[in-house]
């Protein structure tokens, strides 16, 4: 079923709302991923959410696998998060002065992530990665930055860079407005390519300030690191005195309480966080060895600031979320549900004869319309995205809201039930057939 065939009567209010929004905001959205560009059709305007469900303004209910792109690991409107917000809002919304809630959230992060001894709270994942990169350059006195194709770290100029012609070729801007100056200090390599990393360090090693990566990639669809790649990243950054930045904005507190680094063995100098640490409100964070973090203003000279950093409402939601994750860890339940879902989607694709591969790490998973295996952007970029778009809309018609791009992870929450998973699998069997 193509997007244009979607039963528009069931979404009349979203269609009208989108027409209005497009007159007011670029593309009618405040983040491009939401505009359904990758799948076509009209994005749904959401009225409310509860547990594992989204409800659009036309009153349709969906089983939600976006989870706000990761933050909602406990499900929507978790009672302890709502209660924490109600308590916080009774005291006001923002003070521009320190609060104990910020220290509590910092303490929770430090206790959870072994490599983090000190942390700075900011208001988004982009702010976290931008600041961690500036700190790495400030601490090392070096300019070059290594990133990997298919890894997304927010809209930081120095990371909006296309790969050069070879592993050792410095990058070029891949967005208007990003200057050559901002991009020429960035090397873009293939994820899971130890050879690329060896070559880049051999050629530029003493100029590389940091390597930044997603320890499990979510932003080209889910791609896990190979053991060899993890070892090469740890070894080469140490050997050349470059810093390793693990961008755990998506994976932090998602794949384990200590993040993907605790599962896969990355040894980061700095870690960036977001999404779950705000429990659905705007919180980002960067942290790492105290000797590095102490170089951030005002204890050090590396500048970084933010009006709403550590906002009382955001830290209340973040603290409540991390408290629940620590006291009632959902990871076994998430593993059970996510494995059930992955198996069901696999069988649905096999029954439909659709070329596919499934990648899953914990409660992040992607069904690629590509036979796989997928280890880097080179393979991921060959997926059948037209088939994905048909599959996406056929699922939407059946009340299942998947991420609106082949190159995203879907997220299972602790609020999902076996019945939700089984209903999703049944819908996927029909959607897969229709999408063929
Ligand atoms: P934000 O600035 O959007 O809070 O975080 C940027 C970011 C940094 N690092 C990683 C690993 C991320 O996944 C993200 C943001 N993720 C996307 C979803 N793939 C957010 C969705 C959107 O852009 O609307």
């Amino acid at each position: 079923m193509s997007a244009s065939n979607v039963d528009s009567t069931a979404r009349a209010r979203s269609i009208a709302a989108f027409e209005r929004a497009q007159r007011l905001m670029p593309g009618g959205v405040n983040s491009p991923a939401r505009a359904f560009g990758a799948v076509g059709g009209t994005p749904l305007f959401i009225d409310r959410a509860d547990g594992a469900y989204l409800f659009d303004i036309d009153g349709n209910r969906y089983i939600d696998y976006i989870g706000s792109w990761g933050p909602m690991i406990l499900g929507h409107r978790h009672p302890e998060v709502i209660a924490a917000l109600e308590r916080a809002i009774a005291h006001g919304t923002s003070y521009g002065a320190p609060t104990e809630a910020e220290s509590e959230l910092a303490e929770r992060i430090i206790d959870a992530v072994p490599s983090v001894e000190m942390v700075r709270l900011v208001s988004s994942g982009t702010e976290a990665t931008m600041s961690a990169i500036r700190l790495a350059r400030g601490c090392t006195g070096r300019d070059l930055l290594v990133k990997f194709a298919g890894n997304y770290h927010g809209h930081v100029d120095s990371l909006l860079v296309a790969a050069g012609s070879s592993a050792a070729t410095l990058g070029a801007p891949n967005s208007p407005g990003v200057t050559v100056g901002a991009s020429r200090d960035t090397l873009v390599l293939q994820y899971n390519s130890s050879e690329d990393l060896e070559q880049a360090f051999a050629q530029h090693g003493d100029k590389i300030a940091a390597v930044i990566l997603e320890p499990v990639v979510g932003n080209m669809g889910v791609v896990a690191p190979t053991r060899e790649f993890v070892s090469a990243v740890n070894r080469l950054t140490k050997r050349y005195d470059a810093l390793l930045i693990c961008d755990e904005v998506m994976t932090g507190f998602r794949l384990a309480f200590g993040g993907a680094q605790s599962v896969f063995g990355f040894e980061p100098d700095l870690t960036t966080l977001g999404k779950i640490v705000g429990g659905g409100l705007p919180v980002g964070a960067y942290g790492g060895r105290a000797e590095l973090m102490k170089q951030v203003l005002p204890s050090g000279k590396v500048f970084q600031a933010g009006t709403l950093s550590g906002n009382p409402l955001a830290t209340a939601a973040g603290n409540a979320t991390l408290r629940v994750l620590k006291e009632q860890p959902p990871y076994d339940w998430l593993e059970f549900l996510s494995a059930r879902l992955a198996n069901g989607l696999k069988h649905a694709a096999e029954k439909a004869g659709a070329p596919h591969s499934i990648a899953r790490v914990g409660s992040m998973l992607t069904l690629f319309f590509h036979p796989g295996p997928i280890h880097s952007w080179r393979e991921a970029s060959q997926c059948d995205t037209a088939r994905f778009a048909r599959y996406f809309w056929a699922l939407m018609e059946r009340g299942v809201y998947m991420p609106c791009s082949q190159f995203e992870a879907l997220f299972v929450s602790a609020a999902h039930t076996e019945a939700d998973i089984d209903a999703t699998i049944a819908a996927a069997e029909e959607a897969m057939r229709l999408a063929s």
Side-chain angles (χ1 to χ4, degrees):
M1 174 178 283
S2 73
S4 56
N5 298 343
V6 167
D7 171 6
S8 55
T9 55
R11 293 191 179 82
R13 293 183 65 180
S14 276
I15 290 168
F18 192 45
E19 284 165 4
R20 174 188 176 216
Q22 285 175 300
R23 294 193 296 273
L24 303 166
M25 296 167 281
V29 293
N30 287 303
S31 195
R34 305 175 192 166
F36 279 19
V39 293
T42 299
L44 305 182
F45 279 61
I46 302 305
D47 171 49
R48 65 187 180 90
D50 200 21
Y53 312 115
L54 290 174
F55 299 84
D56 70 18
I57 57 175
D58 288 284
N60 302 302
R61 190 199 83 159
Y62 304 89
I63 303 172
D64 175 21
Y65 290 100
I66 292 249
S68 178
W69 300 97
M72 310 316 291
I73 190 170
L74 299 180
H76 297 285
R77 299 189 69 254
H78 187 284
E80 294 202 32
V81 175
I82 299 301
L85 283 168
E86 286 168 346
R87 287 192 298 273
I89 208 161
H91 288 245
T93 55
S94 180
Y95 316 127
T99 65
E100 291 184 290
E102 293 162 80
S103 302
E104 180 189 343
L105 186 53
E107 214 159 50
R108 289 182 180 280
I109 292 169
I110 292 163
D111 289 350
V113 187
S115 65
V116 175
E117 297 172 343
M118 185 173 272
V119 66
R120 166 62 62 85
L121 302 179
V122 293
S123 297
S124 71
T126 296
E127 265 195 283
T129 57
M130 174 176 66
S131 309
I133 288 163
R134 183 181 309 127
L135 176 60
R137 286 171 159 159
C139 292
T140 61
R142 298 177 179 181
D143 295 345
L144 296 194
L145 177 68
V146 170
K147 77 167 296 266
F148 297 92
N151 284 221
Y152 174 67
H153 306 289
H155 58 96
V156 189
D157 273 11
S158 57
L159 297 175
L160 295 179
V161 177
S165 55
S166 78
T169 310
L170 297 177
N174 75 351
S175 164
V178 174
T179 63
V180 169
S183 56
R184 68 180 160 213
D185 287 335
T186 305
L187 285 159
V188 184
L189 310 183
Q190 284 303 315
Y191 194 76
N192 278 324
S193 171
S194 308
E195 300 73 25
D196 268 15
L197 208 56
E198 297 274 3
Q199 184 184 349
F201 271 103
Q203 186 143 353
H204 304 285
D206 60 347
K207 300 185 186 66
I208 296 175
V211 171
I212 186 168
L213 54 73
E214 292 183 58
V216 170
V217 186
N219 286 290
M220 56 173 136
V222 174
V223 173
T226 63
R227 198 183 303 276
E228 184 211 3
F229 181 63
V230 173
S231 167
V233 166
N234 289 336
R235 172 170 50 82
L236 289 165
T237 48
K238 286 179 174 56
R239 182 168 144 205
Y240 287 92
D241 294 324
L243 299 183
L244 173 58
I245 303 172
C246 262
D247 179 358
E248 298 234 34
V249 166
M250 187 183 286
T251 55
F253 297 96
R254 163 69 56 182
L255 299 186
F257 197 62
Q261 57 189 269
S262 68
V263 177
F264 286 87
F266 284 108
E267 296 162 9
D269 301 286
L270 295 170
T271 295
T272 55
L273 294 163
K275 297 181 191 276
I276 289 173
V277 293
L281 270 71
V283 176
Y286 64 104
R289 295 204 313 268
E291 70 183 281
L292 299 174
M293 291 305 295
K294 284 176 179 171
Q295 298 193 43
V296 178
L297 211 69
S299 51
K301 294 185 171 24
V302 177
F303 189 83
Q304 183 265 311
T307 302
L308 296 176
S309 297
N311 171 273
L313 302 186
T315 51
N319 278 317
T321 299
L322 296 197
R323 182 175 64 247
V324 172
L325 288 173
K326 184 176 176 70
E327 294 173 0
Q328 307 156 42
Y331 299 103
D332 291 343
W333 177 239
L334 289 170
E335 183 60 26
F336 167 73
L337 289 177
S338 306
R340 188 182 183 99
L341 177 60
N343 290 334
L345 295 180
K346 183 176 184 312
H347 293 141
E350 284 167 352
K351 264 197 250 180
H356 70 283
S357 52
I358 294 250
R360 179 179 75 85
V361 181
S363 56
M364 285 170 57
L365 74 95
T366 299
L367 181 142
F368 291 103
F369 284 107
H370 180 290
I374 293 183
H375 294 306
S376 74
W377 178 243
R378 278 203 191 105
E379 295 98 356
S381 58
Q382 294 164 12
C383 284
D384 182 346
T385 52
R387 186 192 288 255
F388 177 85
R390 298 193 296 272
Y391 164 72
F392 171 85
W393 278 107
L395 278 174
M396 193 69 96
E397 281 306 296
R398 288 158 180 78
V400 175
Y401 195 134
M402 285 291 180
C404 46
S405 165
Q406 169 70 94
F407 307 119
E408 293 286 356
L410 76 78
F411 300 100
V412 180
S413 85
H416 283 80
T417 64
E418 275 184 85
D420 293 324
I421 300 297
D422 293 346
T424 303
I425 293 167
E429 287 175 352
E430 292 178 25
M432 211 63 86
R433 197 168 26 79
L434 286 166
S436 296

